[in-house]
Amino acid sequence: MKELSLHILDIVQNSLRAGASLVQIMVTIDTRQDFLRLKIEDNGCGMTEDFLQQVTDPFTTTRTTRKVGLGIPLLKEAAERTGGHFIIQSQVGVGTMVEANFVYRHIDCMPLGDMASTMMILIQGSPEVDFIYEYSFNERSFLLKTAELREILQHVPLDEPQVLKWIHDFVQENEGLVREGNVNENN
Amino acid sequence: MKTIEELKAIRENMSDTLAMRNNAEGSIRVVVGMATCGISAGARPVLQTLAQEINKRHLKNVKLVQTGCIGICRLEPIVEVYIGNEKTTYVKMTPEKALRVVNDHLVNRQVVTEFTIGAAE
Ligand SMILES: Nc1ncnc2c1ncn2[C@@H]1O[C@H](COP(=O)(O)OP(=O)(O)O)[C@@H](O)[C@H]1O
Ligand SMILES: [Mg+2]
């Protein structure tokens, strides 16, 4: 993967396949403590303890089609390559939490990349799922909650193209504002 | 600057029936593989281009869906087009190829043979 936002897109596909109705995505960048943290939490089916042990091993999958370079081992490796660390916790019937910590200024730390496109595509594919996306940069942050958008939109579905475009631009603009330390307090 | 007011305007400008029509099951299904191999090979911009182009051309009968692994990693990104009981598998897709598929196949009903799995193998 070339961007962390692509890893996020991939990891969230696991949550969706696990039947999650709520997926929370958190990106936290702290330039002073020099870390970037991705955290993805879902309320999907979860995994047993035994299975969880194997999941960071690239030869584990419940899918029947085979391939190398599975999502979780790839993200773990990407984090560890920067001197960071990786945590996965899961409970059957409760959900799963994946956390990848990167050393932000390490040469191998990939750029976050296009989170606006990742969010837009997740919502396009699963408009019924509640997504929460939180982006923090030092002490500033912004939040996108699809449940709130759905309430505003009423009869208009979240996967309506004009709405998807709005979401894309909204995420892009707000990330920019948060990075510049200039949050739009009205949102 | 994107505001909540704009979102409300989208709602006001779209009647119930229009919203329903836009969301109707299409007679054409376009399926994009979004597993790890697909995503790392570039499925995200392919899907985005398909979505934009289908919208721009008002192709209301097209349903764009995402799926997991289609099973042929080295040929990703893969896009499948279903029209009636005819299935076409496009491989090694790019945003540029996606534009051609929308124009030639979805609009003009001409399979873009050179991008199909048959041509690749
Ligand atoms: N959020 C999740 N909830 C439940 N099961 C999960 C979750 N994430 C991963 N898994 C399980 O771990 C397996 C390995 O995941 P991953 O490394 O992404 O590879 P793949 O998705 O290609 O199988 C999945 O097939 C699934 O069984
Ligand atoms: Mg996966």
Side-chain angles (χ1 to χ4, degrees):
Chain A
M1 306 272 179
K2 293 192 208 86
E3 299 175 7
L4 293 175
S5 65
L6 292 174
H7 276 288
I8 294 173
L9 180 58
D10 181 45
I11 294 296
V12 176
Q13 302 293 338
N14 290 342
S15 303
L16 299 172
R17 219 169 56 211
S21 60
L22 173 66
V23 181
Q24 197 164 353
I25 302 163
M26 275 163 287
V27 174
T28 309
I29 298 172
D30 188 320
T31 58
R32 279 154 258 183
Q33 295 187 61
D34 199 24
F35 72 82
L36 182 157
R37 180 168 61 231
L38 308 181
K39 195 166 160 187
I40 293 133
E41 261 186 283
D42 68 57
N43 66 350
C45 65
M47 289 170 267
T48 63
E49 219 166 292
D50 279 356
F51 191 79
L52 194 58
Q53 301 287 314
Q54 304 163 33
V55 132
T56 48
D57 170 345
F59 297 101
T60 300
T61 178
T62 51
R63 290 184 306 91
T64 47
T65 46
R66 263 266 40 94
K67 66 175 163 49
V68 289
L70 300 173
I72 290 172
L74 270 179
L75 177 59
K76 178 173 189 277
E77 199 212 69
E80 289 172 351
R81 218 182 308 140
T82 69
H85 65 280
F86 180 86
I87 304 168
I88 180 164
Q89 291 168 351
S90 192
Q91 211 180 325
V92 175
V94 178
T96 302
M97 191 280 297
V98 170
E99 188 183 305
N101 288 275
F102 296 78
V103 174
Y104 187 57
R105 287 195 190 82
H106 193 282
I107 183 120
D108 288 331
C109 186
M110 279 175 260
L112 178 61
D114 189 356
M115 273 308 290
S117 293
T118 283
M119 289 315 300
M120 177 181 159
I121 277 172
L122 287 172
I123 296 165
Q124 191 268 339
S126 306
E128 71 291 351
V129 168
D130 286 341
F131 290 102
I132 299 179
Y133 172 48
E134 184 178 1
Y135 174 87
S136 308
F137 192 95
N138 293 334
E139 68 285 340
R140 302 276 186 181
S141 68
F142 101 95
L143 202 58
L144 175 85
K145 290 186 179 176
T146 58
E148 285 179 359
L149 302 185
R150 214 178 279 116
E151 221 165 280
I152 294 166
L153 285 163
Q154 296 168 12
H155 60 279
V156 178
L158 276 176
D159 59 351
E160 156 61 37
Q162 293 176 59
V163 174
L164 291 172
K165 168 107 174 56
W166 184 93
I167 292 170
H168 176 276
D169 295 351
F170 183 78
V171 170
Q172 198 169 48
E173 286 178 1
N174 278 284
E175 276 186 14
L177 290 174
V178 164
R179 270 194 307 275
E180 288 156 22
N182 184 13
V183 203
N184 183 346
E185 307 290 348
N186 300 329
N187 291 312
Chain B
M1 187 65 218
K2 290 286 145 189
T3 61
I4 296 296
E5 297 315 310
E6 275 180 78
L7 208 54
K8 288 181 181 158
I10 294 173
R11 178 190 71 202
E12 297 313 318
N13 291 333
M14 190 167 295
S15 64
D16 292 24
T17 46
L18 188 63
M20 255 161 55
R21 176 148 49 88
N22 283 357
N23 213 30
E25 279 292 315
S27 54
I28 300 180
R29 272 168 66 83
V30 178
V31 180
V32 183
M34 292 295 285
T36 308
C37 42
I39 293 170
S40 68
R44 188 180 68 184
V46 167
L47 181 62
Q48 229 168 342
T49 302
L50 288 170
Q52 276 160 14
E53 201 61 17
I54 288 166
N55 179 42
K56 205 192 299 171
R57 289 167 172 257
H58 308 289
L59 304 178
K60 302 291 184 215
N61 60 334
V62 178
K63 185 88 181 162
L64 180 61
V65 297
Q66 303 176 26
T67 188
C69 190
I70 295 176
I72 335 159
C73 301
R74 71 199 158 80
L75 297 179
E76 294 279 358
I78 298 177
V79 175
E80 295 173 333
V81 176
Y82 294 84
I83 303 182
N85 40 26
E86 191 184 300
K87 171 185 170 185
T88 308
T89 304
Y90 291 111
V91 299
K92 295 189 178 173
M93 288 296 284
T94 62
E96 295 70 36
K97 287 177 167 181
L99 290 177
R100 271 281 300 281
V101 168
V102 172
N103 183 70
D104 293 12
H105 196 168
L106 305 188
V107 177
N108 295 321
R109 301 298 167 97
Q110 294 291 315
V111 173
V112 191
T113 313
E114 59 201 282
F115 301 162
T116 61
I117 189 162
E121 301 217 293

